[in-house]
Amino acid sequence: MDAHNVFPPDVEEPLLAHPTVRTAVMFAATGPDRLQRAHAAVTVLPGSGVTAEQLHRWVRDRRGPLCDPATILVLPDILPTGTGKPDLGALRAPAVPPGAHAPE
């Protein structure tokens, strides 16, 4: 097995460089195979029509396949927690398949 570390800036910076992305956040989730993978959520300019697949290509073209998150969620808003940080638990729910686990 070939493991590697991916840090939030590795995923967030190329996403934020896309002309239609307003916000981006990376989060981790453990899949059914018990491997932890990077996922991302973004908000985009209204009416931009950008797709997750276009954003995957954008990240791969700028940082390579190792920095391409397993999932990119294109959302109307990224809700904050009471402290103002992105609610990662709420983001994990649609990104992680049933039977998978969120990191502790």
Side-chain angles (χ1 to χ4, degrees), residues 1-93:
M1 179 177 353
D2 186 23
H4 61 277
N5 292 324
V6 177
F7 298 97
D10 299 330
V11 174
E12 294 169 356
E13 287 174 0
L15 287 169
L16 290 168
H18 190 279
T20 67
V21 172
R22 293 185 335 193
T23 58
V25 64
M26 188 198 98
F27 56 98
T30 304
D33 57 5
R34 305 192 56 80
L35 295 176
Q36 199 172 70
R37 290 183 175 79
H39 300 269
V42 300
T43 62
V44 298
L45 295 173
S48 70
V50 69
T51 66
E53 185 51 44
Q54 290 169 326
L55 294 172
H56 279 289
R57 279 194 305 271
W58 180 269
V59 172
R60 284 191 306 267
D61 289 349
R62 280 148 187 80
R63 293 284 174 102
L66 295 180
C67 293
D68 183 23
T71 305
I72 298 177
L73 303 172
V74 179
L75 303 172
D77 198 14
I78 296 175
L79 299 176
T81 63
T83 61
K85 295 181 179 181
D87 187 346
L88 301 182
L91 295 175
R92 284 186 187 104

